[in-house]
């Protein structure tokens, strides 16, 4: 299947870009004609940034799973839709053809309807990276239920917070998951979470590890029993729901600069078009290729580039349950060889963690099928970029550095593999439809090249965030208020002499640890829950593998004098953070301090704490406005 809107050369990129900016109605109207709709749209785009109101394809009706599955059946019924590579390399991999995926999704969608889930209901999904996770997500979309996938590493408290915010009535989970040499309990964490919230009336449990779990009668249902029930009763499969273009497809929680994660809402038609368009263009996907995105479906990358992008394009998408370094650091390369992977999409953190092992794990691995390599989630340093390009791609596979966010739904700034030029550590040029704008501190637009500023987007695009669930004002305040008439990304950015963009990192109080977004306020809240903590301040610092590490300055309610007590306390604080958020938010360093550098109005001067954490102890800038300038000396003295 040749996709008519796939850009074939640089000249065509420039032409399409121009048209998309000058006439978005025609441009995105044309692209959308290549999808299946129940009803056509009345207008392609309507947008009012001041109220954070944008609609795409208003008036249209569709079902996204028909576009991801049903429409491929005739041509690709027997082609693999999903290849599942289990954590344990000794266990067989599984393949679901498009026909099998259709059957399983349609059947499970019927199960959901049968247990009372209706269009618009929120369903949280807390599972490991197994095919049933994909099936659960797609089954929700098929009946018009709004899915909210919660990353399997989040704690009971984090699940409860999300369930409460989304007012979810159902959770789909599994008994446990495998990650490397660990078996991770999932259902027991859901049980704990449900002690903290009471909206959930059904928990559907898929049996994966076979570990012993509690099932609460009347609330907990086995996946396989529910499937058997509709089979035995001969209940016909549910027809796909016909939903409005702007019907919410999913909520995905992401960290911001406040302590409470936001529920980013994406709607159906615009998100579908954007995930598909960016997939076929950035990766230059060709028919029958195998696409391996190593992200977890609990993050936006997994939503857009394991599920909706590849499946809407009729691709074969590979789901991997495990981790890159188990049983050894050659696991990714074994998978690429075993499943003849054409496109590999991963995070700089993963690349850096594999570089540490040198070239040996790559030796003898046949990676000649690899045609495109992608990175996402954080800035990639030049060294990692070159290693990826040379050692993994053998300089034969273009590297695409894709910049985007949970809120943007799909890639915004990236080279198009082999079509537009690459530049190490640069995301390079915007996708069609994306008009980047750099702003200075005073809200003025920065014109010209060789400049840097805060990155905004000046025009609506199909995959953009529509609201923050349950609190639209928060969406306006966070994204559309800093610069009138612009979407503000929260990222700093430079534009080089050729107009290429390089994302330099967050300019707000959000950390990017191993490609995961973590709010400093969230980590501080968690640390402060430890009864011995009075106050804390969290900042990021450069970390060789994770990109950024978490550095916590902590004031205790009584001084610790011996090392042993300090170590015990550190361990306890780490446990508190794990319980409140999850292991991903654990600080790498904890320094006990007697005070924090605050202004007279009580604001913590993080700039100073950041410099100390970075080891830059000389040029701390102006400290005269501090309430107690001497505190800085004592923090420097106590630095680890
Ligand atoms: O700071 C940018 C960074 O990751 C943030 C978005 O995080 P999240 O919503 O979790 O989505 C990650 C996957 C899309 C951005 O604000 N970021 C993402 N991609 C890049 C990046 N920074 C530099 N280069 C990138 N390619």
């Amino acid at each position: 299947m040749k996709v008519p809107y796939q850009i074939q050369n640089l000249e065509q990129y420039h032409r399409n870009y121009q048209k998309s900016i000058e006439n978005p109605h025609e441009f995105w109207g044309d692209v959308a004609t290549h999808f299946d709709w129940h009803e056509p749209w009345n207008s392609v785009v309507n947008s009012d940034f001041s109220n954070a109101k944008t609609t795409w394809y208003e008036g249209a009706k569709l079902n996204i799973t028909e576009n991801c599955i049903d429409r491929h059946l005739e041509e690709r019924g027997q082609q693999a839709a999903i290849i599942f590579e289990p954590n344990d390399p000794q266990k067989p991999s599984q393949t679901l053809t498009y026909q099998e995926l259709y059957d399983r999704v349609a059947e499970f969608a019927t199960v959901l309807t049968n247990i009372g889930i209706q269009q618009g209901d929120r369903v949280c999904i807390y599972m490991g990276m197994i095919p049933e996770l994909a099936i659960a997500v797609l089954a929700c979309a098929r009946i018009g239920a709004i899915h909210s996938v919660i990353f399997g590493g989040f704690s009971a408290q984090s699940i409860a917070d999300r369930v409460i915010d989304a007012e979810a009535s159902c959770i789909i989970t599994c008994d446990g998951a495998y990650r490397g040499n660990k078996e991770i309990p999932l259902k027991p964490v859901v049980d704990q979470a449900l002690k903290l919230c009471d909206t959930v009336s059904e928990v559907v449990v898929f049996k994966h590890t076979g570990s012993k779990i509690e099932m609460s009668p009347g609330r907990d249902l086995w996946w396989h029993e529910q499937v058997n029930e509709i089979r035995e009763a001969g209940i016909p499969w549910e027809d796909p729901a016909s939903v409005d273009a702007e019907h919410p497809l999913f909520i995905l929680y992401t960290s911001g600069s406040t302590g409470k994660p936001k529920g980013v809402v994406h709607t159906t038609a615009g998100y579908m078009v954007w995930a598909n368009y960016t997939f076929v263009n950035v990766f230059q996907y060709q028919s029958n290729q195998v696409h391996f995105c190593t992200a977890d479906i609990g993050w936006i990358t997994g939503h857009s580039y394991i599920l909706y992008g590849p499946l809407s394009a009729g691709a074969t998408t590979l789901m991997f349950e495990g981790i890159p370094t188990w049983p050894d650091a050659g696991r990714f390369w074994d998978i690429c060889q075993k499943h003849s992977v054409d496109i590999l999409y991963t995070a700089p953190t993963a690349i850096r963690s594999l570089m540490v092992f040198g070239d040996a794990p790559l030796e003898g691995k046949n990676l000649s099928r690899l045609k495109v390599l992608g990175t996402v989630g954080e800035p990639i340093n030049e060294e990692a970029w070159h290693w990826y390009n040379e050692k993994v791609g053998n300089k034969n596979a273009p590297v695409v550095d894709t910049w985007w966010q949970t809120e943007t739904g799909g890639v915004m700034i990236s080279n198009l593999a082999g079509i537009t030029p690459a530049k190490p550590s640069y995301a390079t040029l915007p996708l069609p439809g994306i008009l980047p704008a750099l702003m200075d501190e005073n809200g003025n637009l920065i014109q010209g090249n060789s400049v840097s500023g805060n990155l905004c987007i000046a025009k609506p695009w199909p995959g953009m965030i529509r609201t923050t669930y349950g609190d639209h004002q928060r969406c306006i305040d966070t994204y559309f208020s800093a610069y009138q008439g612009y979407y503000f990304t929260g990222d700093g950015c430079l534009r080089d002499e050729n107009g290429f963009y390089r994302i330099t990192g967050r300019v707000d109080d959000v950390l990017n640890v191993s490609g995961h977004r973590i709010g400093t306020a969230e980590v501080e809240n968690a640390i402060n829950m430890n009864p011995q903590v009075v106050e804390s301040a969290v900042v990021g610092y450069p970390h060789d593998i994770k990109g950024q590490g978490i550095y916590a300055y902590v004031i205790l309610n009584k001084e610790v004098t011996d090392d042993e007590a300090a170590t015990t306390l550190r361990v306890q604080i780490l446990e508190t953070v794990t319980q409140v958020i999850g292991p991903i938010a654990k600080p790498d360093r904890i320094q006990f301090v007697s005070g924090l550098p605050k202004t007279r109005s009580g604001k913590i001067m993080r700039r100073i704490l950041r410099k100390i954490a970075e080891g830059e102890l000389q040029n701390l800038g102006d400290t005269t406005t501090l309430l107690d300038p001497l505190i800085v000396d004592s923090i420097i003295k106590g630095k680890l």
Side-chain angles (χ1 to χ4, degrees):
M1 183 175 68
K2 258 263 159 283
V3 186
Y5 47 86
Q6 186 174 57
I7 296 166
Q8 304 295 322
N9 53 52
L10 186 59
E11 191 268 76
Q12 195 189 358
Y13 161 76
H14 287 299
R15 226 179 331 117
N16 282 11
Y17 183 79
Q18 191 79 8
K19 180 171 175 188
S20 71
I21 299 298
E22 281 166 8
N23 195 345
H25 292 264
E26 193 180 316
F27 187 86
W28 294 112
D30 284 350
V31 172
T33 57
H34 300 283
F35 293 80
D36 282 359
W37 305 88
H38 298 171
E39 303 274 345
W41 50 92
N42 303 322
S43 63
V44 173
V45 52
N46 290 298
S47 186
D48 166 14
F49 271 17
S50 57
N51 290 307
K53 289 268 180 231
T54 297
T55 61
W56 282 87
Y57 307 112
E58 206 179 332
K61 284 189 175 285
L62 74 158
N63 186 285
I64 192 169
T65 68
E66 287 180 320
N67 283 279
C68 289
I69 309 174
D70 308 32
R71 68 171 174 151
H72 306 310
L73 290 179
E74 202 177 305
E75 202 184 327
R76 307 183 178 277
Q78 299 315 309
Q79 179 202 303
I82 296 178
I83 297 175
F84 169 62
E85 172 67 21
N87 178 62
D88 183 350
Q90 306 300 328
K91 288 193 184 156
S93 47
Q94 287 173 37
T95 297
L96 284 178
T97 62
Y98 270 96
Q99 183 62 54
E100 287 162 339
L101 183 64
Y102 171 87
D103 292 347
R104 303 252 347 241
V105 169
E107 188 172 62
F108 193 64
T110 309
V111 164
L112 292 179
T113 306
N114 199 40
I115 63 172
I117 312 295
Q118 294 179 359
Q119 186 167 323
D121 286 353
R122 275 78 56 212
V123 175
C124 286
I125 305 179
Y126 184 71
M127 299 176 89
M129 278 285 289
I130 54 175
E132 286 70 22
L133 166 55
I135 291 165
V137 165
L138 294 165
C140 287
R142 194 146 180 103
I143 64 169
I146 302 166
H147 56 77
S148 185
V149 183
I150 304 172
F151 172 60
F154 277 122
S155 67
Q157 180 66 54
S158 295
I159 299 173
D161 292 345
R162 286 157 173 75
V163 165
I164 292 167
D165 191 80
E167 301 159 293
S169 58
C170 172
I171 298 188
I172 306 173
T173 186
C174 45
D175 43 5
Y178 299 111
R179 273 179 74 77
N181 57 7
K182 292 197 197 117
E183 190 180 318
I184 296 167
L186 294 176
K187 172 65 166 56
V189 184
V190 169
D191 289 340
Q192 267 182 322
L194 293 188
K195 291 194 183 124
L196 306 168
C197 52
D198 59 7
T199 53
V200 172
S201 45
E202 285 89 25
V203 178
V204 182
V205 187
F206 181 77
K207 189 182 264 185
H208 178 53
T209 58
S211 59
K212 207 171 152 8
I213 53 166
E214 303 277 316
M215 293 291 279
S216 164
R219 185 194 74 187
D220 298 351
L221 309 163
W222 282 110
W223 175 304
H224 59 272
E225 287 181 3
Q226 293 305 306
V227 168
N228 282 342
E229 199 173 302
I230 59 158
R231 280 187 194 165
E232 278 160 20
I235 297 175
W237 290 347
E238 204 56 29
D239 280 338
S242 188
V243 305
D244 289 336
E246 284 296 335
H247 178 66
L249 175 64
F250 64 85
I251 307 171
L252 192 55
Y253 285 84
T254 189
S255 297
S257 32
T258 69
K260 194 171 166 263
K262 313 177 269 270
V264 171
V265 175
H266 283 288
T267 57
T268 307
Y271 171 80
M272 170 184 79
V273 169
W274 190 240
N276 176 281
Y277 181 85
T278 52
F279 174 72
V280 301
N281 279 297
V282 170
F283 302 105
Q284 287 291 304
Y285 166 73
Q286 307 296 319
S287 211
N288 296 315
Q289 285 186 336
V290 177
H291 175 78
F292 177 20
C293 166
T294 71
D296 191 290
I297 292 178
W299 309 111
I300 190 70
T301 308
H303 282 59
S304 301
Y305 301 111
I306 295 178
L307 295 181
Y308 290 112
L311 293 176
S312 63
T316 297
T317 185
L318 198 153
M319 279 180 77
F320 173 42
E321 185 184 19
I323 56 172
T325 47
W326 192 82
D328 59 50
R331 189 70 197 276
F332 274 2
W333 323 130
D334 287 333
I335 296 173
C336 289
Q337 177 174 315
K338 177 173 171 190
H339 297 293
S340 300
V341 169
D342 297 281
I343 308 169
L344 174 65
Y345 191 30
T346 193
T349 292
I351 299 168
R352 288 191 295 262
S353 71
L354 294 176
M355 275 169 73
V356 171
F357 295 88
D359 302 347
L362 280 154
E363 271 158 26
K365 308 284 157 74
N366 180 359
L367 302 179
S368 60
R369 264 288 281 260
L370 283 176
K371 290 180 192 65
V372 176
L373 302 174
T375 79
V376 58
E378 48 181 322
I380 182 163
N381 47 314
E382 288 206 30
E383 198 192 348
W385 194 99
H386 286 294
W387 187 84
Y388 200 31
N389 184 39
E390 285 160 27
K391 306 290 180 186
V392 181
N394 203 16
K395 293 195 184 167
N396 265 331
V399 174
V400 288
D401 177 354
T402 65
W403 172 81
W404 58 296
Q405 309 180 294
T406 304
E407 294 85 344
T408 71
V411 178
M412 302 285 279
I413 303 182
S414 171
N415 48 320
L416 310 182
I419 301 288
T420 63
K423 179 171 178 182
S425 81
Y426 278 71
T428 72
L429 296 172
L431 273 273
I434 304 307
L435 189 57
L438 299 186
M439 299 292 178
D440 70 16
E441 296 295 313
N442 304 318
N444 300 316
L445 186 65
I446 305 171
Q447 310 273 7
N449 287 343
S450 303
V451 290
S452 59
N454 289 344
L455 178 62
C456 292
I457 308 295
K459 275 176 167 280
W461 66 99
M464 70 188 286
I465 179 175
R466 297 302 198 272
T467 188
T468 41
Y469 190 80
D471 188 355
H472 189 67
Q473 190 59 41
R474 194 168 176 202
C475 180
I476 300 175
D477 295 345
T478 313
Y479 305 107
F480 297 94
S481 298
Y483 304 100
Q484 282 299 311
Y486 293 88
Y487 165 84
F488 176 44
T489 65
D491 279 331
C493 180
L494 65 83
R495 184 163 56 215
D496 77 359
E497 63 284 4
N498 298 313
F500 284 15
Y501 290 88
R502 176 188 187 158
I503 313 307
T504 48
R506 303 288 306 190
V507 293
D508 52 8
D509 291 327
V510 173
L511 306 179
N512 192 327
V513 179
S514 301
H516 301 315
R517 241 162 97 170
I518 299 172
T520 52
E522 260 177 273
V523 184
E524 288 162 6
N525 286 351
I527 294 174
N528 297 350
M529 281 190 194
N530 186 299
Q532 303 190 58
V533 172
V534 175
E535 197 182 359
S536 61
V538 162
V539 295
Y541 70 98
H543 187 289
D544 283 351
I545 306 243
K546 298 174 167 187
Q548 267 190 313
I550 303 180
Y551 197 118
Y553 298 89
V554 175
I555 305 176
L556 297 170
N557 58 9
K558 59 175 187 286
E559 209 181 330
V560 277
T561 39
D562 65 294
D563 286 354
E564 204 179 313
T567 308
T568 311
L569 250 175
R570 283 198 182 90
V571 171
Q572 284 171 359
I573 290 172
L574 295 182
E575 274 166 14
T576 310
V577 174
T578 305
Q579 268 164 25
V580 179
I581 307 176
I584 54 168
K586 280 198 297 196
D588 300 273
R589 294 193 190 161
I590 299 173
Q591 180 178 348
F592 297 127
V593 294
S594 57
L596 293 167
K598 289 190 179 170
T599 60
R600 289 193 183 90
S601 59
K603 204 169 157 324
I604 297 172
M605 286 189 71
R606 284 167 197 281
R607 174 177 58 79
I608 294 177
L609 293 176
R610 241 177 273 151
K611 288 216 161 161
I612 298 175
E614 284 166 11
E616 230 195 271
L617 307 179
Q618 302 304 325
N619 302 312
L620 292 177
D622 183 12
T623 55
T624 53
T625 53
L626 287 179
L627 193 59
D628 174 12
L630 291 180
I631 204 71
V632 176
D633 298 332
S634 93
I635 296 176
I636 291 176
K637 263 198 219 116
K639 186 173 185 300
L640 305 172

